[in-house]
Amino acid sequence: MTEQFIKNEQLNFIKKQIDFIKDNINKNVPQNVLTATIELANAKILDLFPGATLEQQEMLKISKLKNDKEYDPYIQNLMNYLLPFPKITEQQLRKMFPKQKKLKLPDLSNMNQNQLTYLSWNDLRSNKKFIVYDLEGKMVGIECEFTPTSKKNFCSFCHSFSEVAYVSTVTKTKKLKNPDYYRSIANLICADSSECNKKISDVDYLTTFLKDSLGV
């Protein structure tokens, strides 16, 4: 049995490809168009795993599936190979946010580690949102101002249309000629991070946002 090798956002990407294929099937597109769609989706999925073994490549292939009834079992099988979110303790979280003496922490015991790309929680008392992520092998965290909007818009992280909140943070990057310089970075992201984690299919913007915020 192969080891766990699939990240949450990668599985979400695969699900989106399957949804697109199913949509084409429901529209009764010509067989040659459907075949091309499946082959393209298959190539995109394999491109996500450049270091995959032959066994893993075979497991990931959707072009081998004979009909749409096989897609759900295919996803269920892949879920067995999900990489869990790195283990983190309350003590580690407190060290990430030393200025927050009364830091409200999430319930780590009830956290579904297999459906997390990033860990985030809201503290409505202080209007703060905290985001924790494994950035290039190091667990990092940022503190953001959090303002609910009660409106739907596109989330900067998962790119889906959902209820969003206005989130802003101040970059730690300094300018040599102006040590007092600071810049606020703002985004609209899903108010409910658990829903965002179910939809996020790439981490390009998330990592850019974190790097800008941390000044790295």
Side-chain angles (χ1 to χ4, degrees):
M1 182 176 177
T2 190
E3 61 185 8
Q4 294 167 314
F5 69 103
I6 302 173
K7 296 178 181 179
N8 176 65
E9 65 272 14
Q10 291 173 325
L11 184 65
N12 290 340
F13 180 88
I14 294 172
K15 289 178 180 178
K16 286 185 178 182
Q17 296 303 308
I18 288 178
D19 286 342
F20 185 64
I21 293 171
K22 286 182 175 180
D23 185 55
N24 276 265
I25 292 173
N26 292 334
K27 290 178 179 177
N28 293 314
V29 300
Q31 185 58 46
N32 62 324
V33 174
L34 180 60
T35 299
T37 299
I38 293 173
E39 290 296 338
L40 179 59
N42 193 74
K44 287 180 177 179
I45 290 170
L46 292 177
D47 282 346
L48 287 178
F49 304 90
T53 64
L54 291 177
E55 181 184 1
Q56 290 167 345
Q57 290 176 27
E58 187 63 26
M59 184 190 307
L60 291 165
K61 283 182 182 177
I62 56 173
S63 55
K64 67 181 181 181
L65 304 180
K66 297 179 176 62
N67 55 64
D68 58 342
K69 292 181 181 180
E70 296 186 8
Y71 289 128
D72 287 344
Y74 164 83
I75 289 294
Q76 288 298 318
N77 180 57
L78 292 186
M79 290 183 71
N80 294 320
Y81 301 94
L82 268 177
L83 286 163
F85 190 78
K87 288 184 178 179
I88 192 164
T89 65
E90 290 188 358
Q91 184 179 11
Q92 287 174 306
L93 290 177
R94 293 188 188 281
K95 283 185 178 181
M96 287 184 185
F97 307 103
K99 294 181 180 180
Q100 292 293 325
K101 302 304 180 184
K102 296 182 179 179
L103 180 64
K104 178 185 176 183
L105 294 173
D107 185 355
L108 298 177
S109 63
N110 288 328
M111 185 175 69
N112 187 345
Q113 293 181 311
N114 287 339
Q115 289 186 330
L116 281 183
T117 291
Y118 67 96
L119 171 63
S120 181
W121 68 98
N122 305 329
D123 185 348
L124 299 180
R125 296 173 303 174
S126 59
N127 292 323
K128 297 287 187 180
K129 186 176 187 70
F130 300 92
I131 299 174
V132 175
Y133 179 67
D134 184 0
L135 183 63
E136 298 175 352
K138 180 182 179 181
M139 295 296 288
V140 298
I142 61 170
E143 172 187 323
C144 307
E145 296 293 330
F146 174 83
T147 307
T149 65
S150 300
K151 295 180 180 179
K152 287 192 173 184
N153 210 318
F154 286 97
C155 170
S156 296
F157 290 176
C158 69
H159 314 300
S160 65
F161 192 71
S162 59
E163 288 192 8
V164 295
Y166 182 80
V167 172
S168 64
T169 187
V170 175
T171 177
K172 293 183 179 179
T173 301
K174 299 293 183 182
K175 284 190 175 181
L176 294 177
K177 295 182 179 179
N178 185 3
D180 296 324
Y181 167 86
Y182 72 91
R183 177 169 60 94
S184 178
I185 306 171
N187 289 280
L188 289 173
I189 65 173
C190 288
D192 185 342
S193 60
S194 63
E195 289 301 311
C196 189
N197 270 288
K198 293 176 184 178
K199 300 171 185 174
I200 188 170
S201 56
D202 72 71
V203 294
D204 290 345
Y205 189 81
L206 172 61
T207 55
T208 297
F209 175 59
L210 286 167
K211 286 181 177 180
D212 283 349
S213 301
L214 295 167
V216 296

